[in-house]
Amino acid sequence: MEIEKTKLQLETERLVLRPLQNGDYHRWLEGCRNRLPSQYKYDDNKMDLSGWTQQTFNDKVVSKFEEYADQDKVYVFGIFRKSDQKQLGKVELETLIRDEFQWGLLGYTIHNQFWRNGYGKEAVKAALDIAFNILAFHRIEAHINVDNEPSLKLAESVGMEFECIRKGFIFEFGAWTDNMVYYMNSK
């Protein structure tokens, strides 16, 4: 699937969603470094940033994400605040199946220092717009741990619907975990 790179950018009232670029290194680094200590089970700990250089970022993040997008595997969008260009997190759209399904998976992460400002909801709404109108998915799912209340609320707040619980669905935290499946179809 060939998509014009300039179409993989969307602006909302307060945010810009776009693929990460080499010039984003310092914004990305600042967002990661300024994370607060983990707030709950599903809040990632601070990354070990020792050894991360501009070149490492270019090779392991930007180039890898470009390769995935070129292969229609995963589209990763940095979330940037318009007012100061701070990198707030990321949204991912992963291709599960194309062909007659056009089925994708949504993932989202906001750096915890920016929580409770509505950025997650705004970014996910924009990502869904990209998923349906640019990437031509028909169905987008979010697979959410049954006890991840903030993520469940976010999915519901953007209009995703609960479909089912998949038992023993994802191996994480040393065990097979149950996930709630939320979905949205194109209009």
Side-chain angles (χ1 to χ4, degrees):
M1 173 175 227
E2 188 66 31
I3 296 176
E4 189 180 322
K5 301 243 189 269
T6 57
K7 292 187 180 209
L8 292 177
Q9 177 170 318
L10 188 73
E11 291 190 24
T12 67
E13 182 181 336
R14 302 179 298 163
L15 306 175
V16 174
L17 271 70
R18 61 169 174 75
L20 291 169
Q21 303 166 354
N22 292 342
D24 294 326
Y25 171 68
H26 293 290
R27 285 186 285 273
W28 172 84
L29 193 62
E30 178 187 9
C32 293
R33 277 193 178 140
N34 291 335
R35 287 183 60 85
L36 303 172
S38 181
Q39 305 294 301
Y40 77 116
K41 180 179 178 179
Y42 299 108
D43 181 20
D44 295 334
N45 288 319
K46 286 187 173 189
M47 282 179 60
D48 177 8
L49 298 169
S50 59
W52 277 86
T53 63
Q54 174 76 57
Q55 192 60 51
T56 308
F57 176 77
N58 295 354
D59 295 343
K60 291 189 175 182
V61 176
V62 176
S63 292
K64 190 55 80 179
F65 291 169
E66 285 176 357
E67 179 183 323
Y68 290 156
D70 288 344
Q71 297 170 358
D72 192 42
K73 288 183 178 180
V74 182
Y75 299 86
V76 181
F77 300 90
I79 303 167
F80 298 90
R81 189 165 52 193
K82 281 183 180 178
S83 63
D84 57 10
Q85 297 305 305
K86 287 191 183 290
Q87 198 252 341
L88 309 179
K90 65 183 171 107
V91 178
E92 301 170 2
L93 294 164
E94 181 176 350
T95 301
L96 295 177
I97 302 174
R98 282 293 188 179
D99 302 320
E100 65 272 13
F101 294 96
Q102 300 303 324
W103 180 22
L105 178 66
L106 169 72
Y108 39 85
T109 303
I110 301 292
H111 295 309
N112 62 11
Q113 69 268 34
F114 300 113
W115 286 1
R116 295 177 189 83
N117 290 293
Y119 296 131
K121 181 177 181 177
E122 194 171 333
V124 167
K125 279 180 151 181
L128 289 168
D129 186 41
I130 292 169
F132 295 126
N133 297 314
I134 306 298
L135 300 176
F137 285 110
H138 168 69
R139 177 185 174 94
I140 294 292
E141 290 184 358
H143 304 155
I144 306 169
N145 292 86
V146 296
D147 58 344
N148 188 344
E149 200 61 38
S151 193
L152 295 169
K153 286 180 181 176
L154 193 154
E156 291 171 0
S157 76
V158 299
M160 296 186 86
E161 295 181 49
F162 171 73
E163 182 172 64
C164 65
I165 295 178
R166 290 193 181 134
K167 301 287 190 177
F169 186 56
I170 299 175
F171 190 80
E172 57 187 351
F173 309 111
W176 288 99
T177 61
D178 298 345
N179 275 231
M180 296 178 79
V181 176
Y182 279 78
Y183 78 97
M184 182 179 280
N185 287 337
S186 61
K187 310 293 186 242

mmCIF file of all heavy atoms in Angstrom, residues 96-104 136-139 185:
data_model
loop_
_atom_site.group_PDB
_atom_site.id
_atom_site.type_symbol
_atom_site.label_atom_id
_atom_site.label_comp_id
_atom_site.label_asym_id
_atom_site.label_seq_id
_atom_site.Cartn_x
_atom_site.Cartn_y
_atom_site.Cartn_z
ATOM 1 N N LEU A 96 -3.408 -5.761 10.991
ATOM 2 C CA LEU A 96 -3.607 -7.158 11.368
ATOM 3 C C LEU A 96 -3.825 -8.005 10.113
ATOM 4 O O LEU A 96 -3.140 -8.994 9.898
ATOM 5 C CB LEU A 96 -4.792 -7.304 12.321
ATOM 6 C CG LEU A 96 -4.603 -6.634 13.689
ATOM 7 C CD1 LEU A 96 -5.852 -6.773 14.530
ATOM 8 C CD2 LEU A 96 -3.403 -7.221 14.421
ATOM 9 N N ILE A 97 -4.788 -7.612 9.287
ATOM 10 C CA ILE A 97 -5.074 -8.299 8.030
ATOM 11 C C ILE A 97 -5.581 -7.262 7.040
ATOM 12 O O ILE A 97 -6.409 -6.426 7.391
ATOM 13 C CB ILE A 97 -6.150 -9.392 8.203
ATOM 14 C CG1 ILE A 97 -5.749 -10.428 9.240
ATOM 15 C CG2 ILE A 97 -6.443 -10.080 6.863
ATOM 16 C CD1 ILE A 97 -6.847 -11.438 9.556
ATOM 17 N N ARG A 98 -5.126 -7.339 5.811
ATOM 18 C CA ARG A 98 -5.661 -6.474 4.758
ATOM 19 C C ARG A 98 -6.695 -7.279 3.969
ATOM 20 O O ARG A 98 -7.676 -7.718 4.538
ATOM 21 C CB ARG A 98 -4.534 -5.944 3.854
ATOM 22 C CG ARG A 98 -3.761 -4.795 4.475
ATOM 23 C CD ARG A 98 -4.603 -3.569 4.607
ATOM 24 N NE ARG A 98 -3.812 -2.411 5.038
ATOM 25 C CZ ARG A 98 -4.321 -1.232 5.194
ATOM 26 N NH1 ARG A 98 -5.592 -0.999 4.978
ATOM 27 N NH2 ARG A 98 -3.565 -0.228 5.594
ATOM 28 N N ASP A 99 -6.469 -7.518 2.715
ATOM 29 C CA ASP A 99 -7.374 -8.264 1.842
ATOM 30 C C ASP A 99 -8.821 -7.843 2.067
ATOM 31 O O ASP A 99 -9.119 -6.661 2.057
ATOM 32 C CB ASP A 99 -7.180 -9.778 2.027
ATOM 33 C CG ASP A 99 -5.741 -10.195 1.741
ATOM 34 O OD1 ASP A 99 -5.158 -9.646 0.778
ATOM 35 O OD2 ASP A 99 -5.189 -11.023 2.477
ATOM 36 N N GLU A 100 -9.713 -8.805 2.264
ATOM 37 C CA GLU A 100 -11.131 -8.469 2.421
ATOM 38 C C GLU A 100 -11.492 -8.002 3.828
ATOM 39 O O GLU A 100 -12.635 -7.634 4.085
ATOM 40 C CB GLU A 100 -12.035 -9.648 2.012
ATOM 41 C CG GLU A 100 -11.918 -10.871 2.876
ATOM 42 C CD GLU A 100 -10.819 -11.840 2.439
ATOM 43 O OE1 GLU A 100 -9.971 -11.488 1.603
ATOM 44 O OE2 GLU A 100 -10.791 -12.955 2.963
ATOM 45 N N PHE A 101 -10.532 -7.974 4.739
ATOM 46 C CA PHE A 101 -10.815 -7.565 6.118
ATOM 47 C C PHE A 101 -10.524 -6.085 6.386
ATOM 48 O O PHE A 101 -11.285 -5.423 7.063
ATOM 49 C CB PHE A 101 -10.015 -8.418 7.108
ATOM 50 C CG PHE A 101 -10.420 -9.857 7.115
ATOM 51 C CD1 PHE A 101 -9.725 -10.792 6.374
ATOM 52 C CD2 PHE A 101 -11.500 -10.274 7.870
ATOM 53 C CE1 PHE A 101 -10.096 -12.120 6.377
ATOM 54 C CE2 PHE A 101 -11.884 -11.607 7.887
ATOM 55 C CZ PHE A 101 -11.181 -12.532 7.131
ATOM 56 N N GLN A 102 -9.364 -5.600 5.950
ATOM 57 C CA GLN A 102 -8.931 -4.227 6.231
ATOM 58 C C GLN A 102 -9.031 -3.947 7.735
ATOM 59 O O GLN A 102 -9.715 -3.036 8.182
ATOM 60 C CB GLN A 102 -9.733 -3.216 5.405
ATOM 61 C CG GLN A 102 -9.607 -3.403 3.907
ATOM 62 C CD GLN A 102 -8.174 -3.351 3.409
ATOM 63 O OE1 GLN A 102 -7.354 -2.594 3.910
ATOM 64 N NE2 GLN A 102 -7.863 -4.174 2.418
ATOM 65 N N TRP A 103 -8.305 -4.739 8.507
ATOM 66 C CA TRP A 103 -8.440 -4.806 9.954
ATOM 67 C C TRP A 103 -7.143 -4.359 10.611
ATOM 68 O O TRP A 103 -6.066 -4.844 10.260
ATOM 69 C CB TRP A 103 -8.773 -6.245 10.296
ATOM 70 C CG TRP A 103 -8.966 -6.632 11.699
ATOM 71 C CD1 TRP A 103 -9.292 -5.853 12.767
ATOM 72 C CD2 TRP A 103 -8.860 -7.962 12.210
ATOM 73 N NE1 TRP A 103 -9.404 -6.618 13.894
ATOM 74 C CE2 TRP A 103 -9.149 -7.912 13.574
ATOM 75 C CE3 TRP A 103 -8.564 -9.191 11.638
ATOM 76 C CZ2 TRP A 103 -9.132 -9.052 14.391
ATOM 77 C CZ3 TRP A 103 -8.555 -10.318 12.439
ATOM 78 C CH2 TRP A 103 -8.838 -10.245 13.797
ATOM 79 N N GLY A 104 -7.239 -3.424 11.546
ATOM 80 C CA GLY A 104 -6.060 -2.903 12.220
ATOM 81 C C GLY A 104 -6.210 -2.859 13.723
ATOM 82 O O GLY A 104 -7.309 -3.028 14.271
ATOM 83 N N ALA A 136 -7.238 3.484 5.050
ATOM 84 C CA ALA A 136 -8.328 2.676 4.487
ATOM 85 C C ALA A 136 -8.628 1.397 5.261
ATOM 86 O O ALA A 136 -9.021 0.381 4.679
ATOM 87 C CB ALA A 136 -8.057 2.369 3.014
ATOM 88 N N PHE A 137 -8.475 1.439 6.579
ATOM 89 C CA PHE A 137 -8.929 0.315 7.386
ATOM 90 C C PHE A 137 -10.457 0.363 7.474
ATOM 91 O O PHE A 137 -11.058 1.438 7.477
ATOM 92 C CB PHE A 137 -8.345 0.377 8.804
ATOM 93 C CG PHE A 137 -6.897 -0.008 8.882
ATOM 94 C CD1 PHE A 137 -5.928 0.942 9.154
ATOM 95 C CD2 PHE A 137 -6.496 -1.326 8.703
ATOM 96 C CE1 PHE A 137 -4.589 0.598 9.237
ATOM 97 C CE2 PHE A 137 -5.163 -1.680 8.779
ATOM 98 C CZ PHE A 137 -4.199 -0.717 9.050
ATOM 99 N N HIS A 138 -11.065 -0.809 7.583
ATOM 100 C CA HIS A 138 -12.505 -0.882 7.816
ATOM 101 C C HIS A 138 -12.798 -1.075 9.303
ATOM 102 O O HIS A 138 -13.787 -0.563 9.816
ATOM 103 C CB HIS A 138 -13.134 -2.038 7.036
ATOM 104 C CG HIS A 138 -14.538 -2.317 7.458
ATOM 105 N ND1 HIS A 138 -15.576 -1.440 7.207
ATOM 106 C CD2 HIS A 138 -15.073 -3.355 8.151
ATOM 107 C CE1 HIS A 138 -16.686 -1.932 7.724
ATOM 108 N NE2 HIS A 138 -16.416 -3.086 8.300
ATOM 109 N N ARG A 139 -11.932 -1.806 9.984
ATOM 110 C CA ARG A 139 -12.152 -2.127 11.397
ATOM 111 C C ARG A 139 -10.864 -1.861 12.173
ATOM 112 O O ARG A 139 -9.785 -2.285 11.758
ATOM 113 C CB ARG A 139 -12.552 -3.589 11.551
ATOM 114 C CG ARG A 139 -12.745 -4.036 12.991
ATOM 115 C CD ARG A 139 -13.027 -5.539 13.044
ATOM 116 N NE ARG A 139 -13.070 -6.025 14.405
ATOM 117 C CZ ARG A 139 -14.177 -6.147 15.126
ATOM 118 N NH1 ARG A 139 -15.339 -5.802 14.614
ATOM 119 N NH2 ARG A 139 -14.123 -6.606 16.362
ATOM 120 N N ASN A 185 -15.787 0.452 13.473
ATOM 121 C CA ASN A 185 -15.777 0.213 12.035
ATOM 122 C C ASN A 185 -15.863 1.548 11.312
ATOM 123 O O ASN A 185 -16.399 2.522 11.860
ATOM 124 C CB ASN A 185 -16.951 -0.663 11.602
ATOM 125 C CG ASN A 185 -16.782 -2.113 12.014
ATOM 126 O OD1 ASN A 185 -15.672 -2.572 12.231
ATOM 127 N ND2 ASN A 185 -17.879 -2.831 12.122
#
